[in-house]
Amino acid sequence: MENRSNVTVFILLGLSQNKDIEILCFVLFLLCYIAIWMGNLLIMISITCSLLIDQPMYFFLNYLSLADLCYTSTVMPKLMTDLLKKRKTISYNNCMTQLFILHFLGGIEIFILTGMAYDRYVAICKPLHYAVIMNKQNCNMIIIACCTGGFIHSAGLCLLTIFLPFCGPNEIDHYFCDVYPLLKLACTDTYRIGVLVTVNSGLIALVIFVILMVSYFMIFYTIRAYPAECRTKALSTCSSHLTVVVLFFVPVFFIYIRPATTFPEDKVFALFYTIIAPLFNPLIYTLRNMEMKNALRKVWCQKPFLIGRQIN
């Protein structure tokens, strides 16, 4: 298909046209961005510098935190600088690049969450085979599969979008480049492409979510026979992961599981998986997980003391 676009720059309408609200959002998002970096770096360093890195669950959590940092950094710096500008623009090439990276990293996050659910399923439902199934080599293969799945998902969306003709108008009613707002601007019939986008994003997310829920149903059914102490520990880890899954998937469903249309509420729901989920993930995994709390204490409380003793 020949690309007949004459649009080289898109105008982002952003979150609000009120300058006072934009300044307030800038301050709020700046604090959130700092907290996202601090929280996720804290988890990554604590896992890497402790024995938790050898446990598959935390091995995956380490990569989830890295994906969160990269994902939110694809949106937040541009969003915050645009909040201080009167005219918010993004070039066609940068728009397509942002679209690819966002869906690539978003796909990786979804598949990592699936890998973490599989780890919990094997640990609780097949404990005798856990060490064999979730060995280091298989964990590395799961991460490679997550990256491959994210790439295929994102490349598919970009191939559907990049050849669309954009003749004007060039105003995107969003704060970043996403596929549905771009389809709305294309000067051609996008019905079939919209269906393919819905299948690529919404339907795949729904299938994965159903698989996750079935696996957790089996987990909760299995732990009924556990002693109270073991059941509490299993529920603590699983509930943390389940909370993150719901926080990430629900807004994704609202935006991508319907036909290719846009609503004003899309921008609010997009904040959940671009800012709120990466912000709360570290809190969810640290405040509800005893092993993570112990790792934080060992890494951040004991090391300075040991260094001080060595110096003396």
Side-chain angles (χ1 to χ4, degrees):
M1 184 187 298
E2 182 184 357
N3 190 341
R4 304 183 301 277
S5 296
N6 56 22
V7 172
T8 58
V9 175
F10 291 106
I11 299 172
L12 298 170
L13 297 183
L15 291 170
S16 173
Q17 303 301 312
N18 187 307
K19 198 61 187 176
D20 293 333
I21 294 177
E22 287 187 325
I23 293 174
L24 179 63
C25 287
F26 172 81
V27 175
L28 180 62
F29 292 157
L30 178 61
L31 294 175
C32 288
Y33 192 48
I34 293 172
I36 288 169
W37 268 92
M38 290 178 62
N40 284 285
L41 278 178
L42 190 68
I43 281 185
M44 292 168 62
I45 294 172
S46 299
I47 292 174
T48 305
C49 297
S50 69
L51 297 177
L52 290 183
I53 193 64
D54 296 324
Q55 298 184 33
M57 182 69 178
Y58 298 100
F59 175 80
F60 294 137
L61 177 58
N62 189 43
Y63 279 98
L64 180 66
S65 295
L66 177 61
D68 273 340
L69 277 182
C70 297
Y71 186 83
T72 194
S73 294
T74 308
V75 176
M76 289 286 283
K78 171 67 176 169
L79 170 60
M80 289 188 294
T81 54
D82 282 347
L83 287 170
L84 301 178
K85 293 180 181 178
K86 185 174 182 180
R87 183 179 172 85
K88 308 165 181 59
T89 61
I90 184 170
S91 68
Y92 176 87
N93 290 336
N94 287 343
C95 182
M96 294 302 158
T97 301
Q98 186 183 60
L99 175 68
F100 174 82
I101 295 175
L102 273 174
H103 282 273
F104 173 58
L105 294 170
I108 289 176
E109 286 204 37
I110 286 176
F111 291 122
I112 289 178
L113 289 171
T114 308
M116 295 171 77
Y118 178 68
D119 169 75
R120 291 300 86 199
Y121 168 77
V122 175
I124 293 172
C125 299
K126 299 179 181 292
L128 298 179
H129 301 91
Y130 181 75
V132 176
I133 296 175
M134 300 305 297
N135 58 49
K136 192 70 173 178
Q137 182 180 359
N138 288 344
C139 288
N140 287 327
M141 290 301 296
I142 289 174
I143 292 297
I144 293 173
C146 292
C147 295
T148 304
F151 178 82
I152 293 172
H153 158 71
S154 183
L157 282 183
C158 285
L159 287 174
L160 291 171
T161 309
I162 200 168
F163 294 111
L164 289 174
F166 297 99
C167 314
N170 64 338
E171 292 184 342
I172 298 177
D173 189 14
H174 217 309
Y175 60 90
F176 63 89
C177 285
D178 203 3
V179 60
Y180 281 172
L182 286 171
L183 291 181
K184 188 177 180 181
L185 297 181
C187 48
T188 187
D189 183 15
T190 60
Y191 175 77
R192 292 181 180 178
I193 294 177
V195 172
L196 293 175
V197 169
T198 302
V199 171
N200 186 313
S201 298
L203 191 59
I204 289 178
L206 178 61
V207 170
I208 291 175
F209 184 76
V210 170
I211 293 172
L212 291 175
M213 292 302 103
V214 170
S215 68
Y216 271 101
F217 174 80
M218 296 175 68
I219 287 172
F220 293 142
Y221 181 81
T222 302
I223 63 177
R224 292 183 313 154
Y226 280 28
E229 184 178 347
C230 296
R231 188 165 60 244
T232 301
K233 183 179 179 181
L235 283 173
S236 174
T237 304
C238 292
S239 62
S240 298
H241 181 252
L242 193 57
T243 304
V244 172
V245 167
V246 172
L247 192 63
F248 189 87
F249 273 86
V250 169
V252 168
F253 289 153
F254 179 85
I255 294 176
Y256 294 109
I257 207 168
R258 63 173 190 255
T261 55
T262 58
F263 296 110
E265 295 82 6
D266 289 354
K267 291 183 280 189
V268 176
F269 277 90
L271 290 174
F272 276 88
Y273 56 81
T274 56
I275 299 175
I276 296 176
L279 175 65
F280 280 96
N281 284 0
L283 293 175
I284 292 169
Y285 278 110
T286 53
L287 296 179
R288 301 183 59 135
N289 193 301
M290 189 56 65
E291 287 183 317
M292 198 68 229
K293 290 180 183 178
N294 293 333
L296 288 170
R297 293 191 192 99
K298 289 179 181 178
V299 172
W300 299 101
C301 297
Q302 294 186 14
K303 280 193 173 182
F305 174 72
L306 293 175
I307 292 172
R309 287 187 60 183
Q310 289 174 0
I311 293 175
N312 293 333

